[in-house]
Amino acid sequence: MAKLKGIIFIILFAVVFWHFYGDSFKEDGLEATVHEVREDIVSFKESAFVTNTVNSIKQGYEFVTDLFTDKIDSTAPSNEVKIEKPNLNKPVEQTFSIYNIEIGDERKTVESQLGKPQRASKNEYGVEWMAYHKNYHNFMMIAYDKNDKVAGLYTNQPLLSSTEELSFDNTMEEVLNTLDQPVSGIKKGSINYLIEGKEEYDTFLIDNNYVTIFYDVHENHTITAVQIINKQLEMQKPAYFAEPSKELKKGLEYQLFDLTNAARVENDLKPLTWEESALSTVRDHSQDMAENNYFGHTNLDQQSPFDRLQEDGVAFRIAGENLATGQSSSIYAHEGLMNSLGHRKNILKKEFELLTVGVAFNNENQPFYTENFITK
C-alpha cells in the first residue's frame, strides 16, 4: 500500500506541476512567477500524504490567482478611451501609404494631420524614428530626410492603403501574387546583403523604395506590419548593422518598447509602463552576451533572469524575459519575437504591467536585445 501511495503521489505531482508550469518549459520565451516552483516543491517534500499535497497545490493556485485578480481589477485600463479608426484613402503618388502618409510628403503636412510625435529616437539609418500615436492606437513611425520630407514609414497596425488593393487582411500568397518578385538582396558597395525572410517577410523594390511586408505566421501569414524605406535613405546605411552609439542603443531600446505596446493595444491589451529600475539589469545581460559570445537566459554565472532582477534589487511578483539577436533593427527583432509562440506569449500576457528593454553591441556591431516584463 505504501508503494501504491508513492506511485500515486508521483503521478499527481507530475500532472499538477505540468498544469501550472508546463507552458514555461515548452517555449523559448522564458517566464516564471516569483518563487512559485521552489516553494511548491518544498511543500511537496513536506507533505505526508497525497491528499495533503493536492490541497496545498490548490491553495497555492488560488493564492496566485487572487493576486492577479486583485492587481488587475484595481487598475483602470489605460486604453479604455475609444479611438476612432481613420478613414484610409488610396495613395496619390506612391503604391503604398500608411495612415494616408506617403514617402515624399512634407513634415508640416504630416504633423497637421497627426500632431507632434510622442517620441523621437535614433534608428539604424542615422536619422530618427518619430513615433505618432494616441496611447499606442493608430501607431506609426516616420523618418524624415534632411529636407524634412518623409523617407521612411512603419506600422504594425492596420493603417495600410495601396493602389494594389493590399491591406492587413491579405495573406503572403496574395501579396506575392499581386506584386513583382521580391528582391533577394541589397547591394552596398561590393557586398550583396542577402534577404532571407523565411516566409516571415518579403522585401520589394517599388517606387524606388524598399517595401518590407511582414507576415504573422500564426494567423495564416496575413500582413502584420509594413516598413517602407526610400532607397536613398537605405543606402545611407553602409553595412547590414549600423555603427553603434549611445544614441542608437537608447533608440533601439525605446523603439522595441513602443512596438511591443502597439502590438498589445492592437490585441486589446493595456500598454506597459517603462520600468527604469530594471534598465541596468537588462543592459548588463545584453552586454554580457555580446562580450562573451553566448545567447541565453542563464548567464555564465548560472543566474536566471529572476536571479539578476533580485540581485539588482528590482521588486517583482511575476516576470518574463525575451531575448533577440542577429536582427539589424528593433523592427525586425520585434516581428521575429511575435512569430515565436513563447516570446509572443510574454508580449501579449495581460498580467504584465511593466517593461524594460536593454541593448548592447558586440565587436561586429550586432545588437543584442533583452526584454524584461514585470508585474509588482
Side-chain angles (χ1 to χ4, degrees):
M1 180 62 69
K3 184 176 181 181
L4 179 60
K5 283 186 177 181
I7 293 172
I8 294 172
F9 175 86
I10 292 170
I11 292 172
L12 284 173
F13 178 94
V15 169
V16 178
F17 185 88
W18 186 256
H19 174 75
F20 292 115
Y21 307 115
D23 288 342
S24 297
F25 290 87
K26 286 189 291 185
E27 304 293 356
D28 290 333
L30 189 60
E31 160 186 336
T33 302
V34 185
H35 296 316
E36 262 191 2
V37 176
R38 186 177 303 161
E39 290 177 355
D40 283 353
I41 288 175
V42 169
S43 71
F44 292 146
K45 289 180 179 178
E46 293 176 349
S47 297
F49 300 102
V50 172
T51 51
N52 290 339
T53 303
V54 172
N55 288 335
S56 70
I57 293 171
K58 186 172 184 294
Q59 291 167 3
Y61 174 69
E62 290 173 347
F63 177 71
V64 173
T65 302
D66 288 342
L67 274 176
F68 283 164
T69 304
D70 291 344
K71 191 70 174 180
I72 294 168
D73 289 348
S74 65
T75 306
S78 57
N79 61 333
E80 277 186 336
V81 177
K82 296 293 183 182
I83 305 295
E84 290 187 10
K85 292 189 178 295
N87 294 320
L88 300 178
N89 304 316
K90 281 189 177 181
V92 177
E93 302 291 338
Q94 303 278 320
T95 303
F96 293 100
S97 64
I98 295 177
Y99 206 165
N100 299 325
I101 307 298
E102 302 178 33
I103 296 291
D105 285 352
E106 294 189 359
R107 181 169 183 168
K108 63 180 181 181
T109 303
V110 171
E111 296 192 346
S112 68
Q113 174 188 328
L114 303 181
K116 296 297 183 182
Q118 300 296 315
R119 191 193 309 280
S121 56
K122 188 74 171 287
N123 65 26
E124 69 275 18
Y125 297 104
V127 296
E128 292 181 318
W129 277 125
M130 304 291 178
Y132 298 87
H133 58 88
K134 295 180 179 179
N135 200 24
Y136 293 102
H137 293 270
N138 297 333
F139 175 86
M140 68 180 301
M141 298 195 300
I142 300 177
Y144 299 100
D145 64 17
K146 62 182 179 180
N147 297 315
D148 263 353
K149 290 190 175 183
V150 175
L153 294 165
Y154 169 86
T155 188
N156 58 353
Q157 295 183 357
L159 301 173
L160 178 69
S161 298
S162 171
T163 58
E164 300 291 343
E165 306 295 341
L166 291 174
S167 71
F168 275 43
D169 295 326
N170 292 109
T171 64
M172 178 181 69
E173 182 179 3
E174 291 167 335
V175 170
L176 294 176
N177 287 337
T178 301
L179 302 178
D180 291 336
Q181 190 75 11
V183 298
S184 60
I186 298 177
K187 189 172 184 180
K188 298 189 176 191
S190 60
I191 300 176
N192 186 43
Y193 293 94
L194 297 179
I195 297 174
E196 297 179 344
K198 298 180 180 178
E199 298 191 349
E200 294 191 23
Y201 62 87
D202 287 301
T203 300
F204 306 84
L205 185 57
I206 302 173
D207 303 329
N208 209 37
N209 304 315
Y210 285 104
V211 180
T212 301
I213 300 178
F214 298 89
Y215 311 113
D216 189 333
V217 302
H218 304 296
E219 296 290 341
N220 196 33
H221 281 85
T222 51
I223 298 175
T224 189
V226 175
Q227 176 182 267
I228 306 173
I229 301 294
N230 178 267
K231 187 176 181 180
Q232 184 176 354
L233 180 60
E234 178 65 49
M235 292 303 126
Q236 286 182 200
K237 186 169 70 128
Y240 182 72
F241 295 122
E243 189 70 26
S245 68
K246 290 182 179 179
E247 292 77 15
L248 180 60
K249 172 192 287 192
K250 187 179 295 185
L252 295 178
E253 291 169 347
Y254 280 130
Q255 288 153 28
L256 192 50
F257 174 80
D258 286 342
L259 296 171
T260 299
N261 276 337
R264 286 177 63 89
V265 166
E266 186 60 24
N267 284 272
D268 298 320
L269 297 169
K270 293 185 294 183
L272 304 172
T273 301
W274 180 267
E275 178 57 27
E276 187 69 20
S277 70
L279 183 56
S280 63
T281 305
V282 291
R283 279 184 173 176
D284 287 349
H285 187 57
S286 288
Q287 190 67 45
D288 190 36
M289 291 189 293
E291 288 182 352
N292 293 294
N293 194 32
Y294 75 94
F295 183 70
H297 297 288
T298 303
N299 65 18
L300 300 181
D301 293 327
Q302 299 304 303
Q303 289 180 310
S304 72
F306 320 109
D307 295 329
R308 293 190 292 271
L309 287 169
Q310 289 175 322
E311 183 177 70
D312 291 345
V314 179
F316 66 97
R317 182 158 50 81
I318 58 173
E321 179 175 275
N322 282 348
L323 304 176
T325 191
Q327 302 82 11
S328 60
S329 73
S330 291
I331 288 174
Y332 283 89
H334 171 73
E335 298 302 336
L337 291 169
M338 284 294 289
N339 275 335
S340 167
L341 279 176
H343 301 93
R344 184 189 189 103
K345 181 180 177 182
N346 274 346
I347 291 169
L348 301 181
K349 188 175 183 69
K350 67 179 181 180
E351 289 86 359
F352 284 138
E353 298 174 346
L354 310 170
L355 171 63
T356 314
V357 182
V359 170
F361 304 90
N362 68 9
N363 56 12
E364 296 179 345
N365 300 341
Q366 176 179 333
F368 285 71
Y369 306 84
T370 300
E371 295 180 307
N372 273 188
F373 300 84
I374 295 171
T375 297
K376 294 187 175 182

